Amino acid sequence: MTQTLRLKKNADRRLKAGHLWLYSNEIDIQATPLKGLEPGAQVTIEAANGKALGVAYVNPNSLICARVVSRDADVRLDRSLLVHRFNQALALRDRLFAKPFYRLIHGEGDLLPGLIVDRFDDVLVVQLNTLGMETVRDEVIAALDKVLSPRAIVFKNDSSGRRLEQLESEVAVVHGELPDEVLLEENGVRFLAPVLDGQKTGWFYDHRANRAWLNGLVAGKRVLDLFSYVGGWGVQAAAHGASEVLCVDASQTALDRVAENAALNGLHEQVSVGHGDVFEAMTALRAEGEKFDVVVLDPPAFIKKRKDLANGERAYARLNRGAMRLLGRDGLLMSASCSMHLFEERLVECVRGAVRHQDRHGQIIYRGGQAGDHPVHPSIPETAYLKALGVRVFRN
């Protein structure tokens, strides 16, 4: 028989509003002690009056002590529910995209907290970011196999979220055989996806729509792609007519992949790379008198936790100032942030401050977020993490 977790009086309001998380201070630990529950176990969530509200998995050692997987108290997180959720998610992606390159499962956005699945045609890369998902790892493999019959399933379990859940790091092919090269296509451009040794799942599908917008404005332009990773922005810009692209990243391995991706698309003459710290690289480029028509800023999350907000905002402000100094008289800046704690209005403030710092004018001509394969849960603001601003920067 499944154990229960009873909420304090009125602590069910967020849950009834659609949220999927429960915090330890919302639990009536007199009625249902958290410490008596096995980490990762599934429980029935009850309101203070004993009414069943749904099923969740628990981790008594985490601030988010329970995550809801169904509002039907008779359902369990098992192979059957996973197959159902995977088919629901697949139906959305089939409506959005003509080709099988996308995020298939986006955690809470697809009603599967703690689970990420990115699809590279017949290769699936999975992240189990919570203990509750880790306990059903075999069911995840079986359900993915039933729904998509992939050639290979890779577990890329090396996220910071796993460390918070006290889970070990793991990168392994857990089903099938991984081909020598995993390819993807985005906005008509082909890339090699480093699914085993790359960042996250090897690729960042979330900026697909923002890249598509920028691709329409780069023909004949000189483009600087900062924090380029494997060239998602820069190689696409070259493919859409940019005359010259410089990709800068602190990882030489990532830059080697930029070169491979440029060559894969016949763009090796248009794309060059610069290795080093981005802040230092911007200073060096300015000292050399370099100017660009378009600068892309897509940094890693500077703000991991709320307490990092002040330092993170200063870093974003400094970064935007440095980027604008490298723009010509009438340039275009794509300024992005994947820090969920940095709201869009604060990114706008960083851009505004950078524009005025150099006595220029700025016009925000584009506001973007994550693509549709990263659906936002309307009750969970944290699922809307990506911001992208297209800013025209010009002088009097």
Side-chain angles (χ1 to χ4, degrees), residues 101-106 115-120 123-129 154-159 171 178 182-184 192-206 229-230 257 373-374 385:
F101 307 105
Y102 44 68
R103 173 152 292 184
L104 174 66
I105 300 295
H106 185 55
L115 181 64
I116 298 293
V117 182
D118 276 356
R119 184 179 185 186
F120 304 93
V123 174
L124 304 177
V125 183
V126 179
Q127 290 185 306
L128 307 172
N129 291 324
V154 176
F155 275 6
K156 191 76 179 351
N157 291 331
D158 56 358
S159 69
V171 177
L178 192 67
V182 178
L183 290 167
L184 70 104
L192 294 163
V195 298
L196 288 177
D197 59 353
Q199 295 178 25
K200 301 293 179 77
T201 63
W203 184 254
F204 296 90
Y205 282 123
D206 52 1
Y229 185 42
V230 298
R257 295 243 163 79
D373 53 347
H374 292 63
Y385 64 94

Side-chain angles (χ1 to χ4, degrees), residues 96-269:
L96 293 173
F97 307 113
K99 295 186 177 181
F101 307 105
Y102 44 68
R103 173 152 292 184
L104 174 66
I105 300 295
H106 185 55
E108 284 80 356
D110 285 296
L111 307 181
L112 286 170
L115 181 64
I116 298 293
V117 182
D118 276 356
R119 184 179 185 186
F120 304 93
D121 194 4
D122 56 1
V123 174
L124 304 177
V125 183
V126 179
Q127 290 185 306
L128 307 172
N129 291 324
T130 56
L131 183 58
M133 277 297 166
E134 178 70 29
T135 61
V136 293
R137 56 184 286 142
D138 292 342
E139 289 86 346
V140 169
I141 295 170
L144 287 172
D145 189 38
K146 179 175 176 59
V147 173
L148 287 171
S149 301
R151 177 176 177 178
I153 299 175
V154 176
F155 275 6
K156 191 76 179 351
N157 291 331
D158 56 358
S159 69
S160 57
R162 279 181 69 88
R163 290 191 291 275
L164 290 173
E165 295 263 320
Q166 299 173 359
L167 293 167
E168 292 184 4
S169 183
E170 170 201 26
V171 177
V173 180
V174 297
H175 174 86
E177 189 173 325
L178 192 67
D180 292 337
E181 291 183 342
V182 178
L183 290 167
L184 70 104
E185 184 180 314
E186 184 181 285
N187 297 326
V189 186
R190 294 189 303 154
F191 293 88
L192 294 163
V195 298
L196 288 177
D197 59 353
Q199 295 178 25
K200 301 293 179 77
T201 63
W203 184 254
F204 296 90
Y205 282 123
D206 52 1
H207 268 304
R208 180 200 314 255
N210 303 322
R211 293 187 186 118
W213 177 81
L214 188 66
N215 290 343
L217 297 171
V218 296
K221 304 298 185 184
R222 192 166 190 241
V223 177
L224 174 63
D225 180 7
L226 298 171
F227 303 99
S228 69
Y229 185 42
V230 298
W233 293 92
V235 174
Q236 284 192 42
H240 287 83
S243 59
E244 185 182 341
V245 177
L246 173 61
C247 291
V248 176
D249 200 274
S251 166
Q252 185 58 54
T253 302
L255 293 176
D256 291 343
R257 295 243 163 79
V258 170
E260 291 174 358
N261 288 324
L264 184 65
N265 293 279
L267 300 166
H268 51 280
E269 291 187 3

Side-chain angles (χ1 to χ4, degrees), residues 207 233 297-299 316 320 334-338 347 386-389:
H207 268 304
W233 293 92
L297 281 181
D298 184 17
Y316 282 112
N320 278 272
M334 173 58 83
S335 182
S337 167
C338 61
L347 182 60
L386 194 70
K387 285 78 56 179
L389 300 175

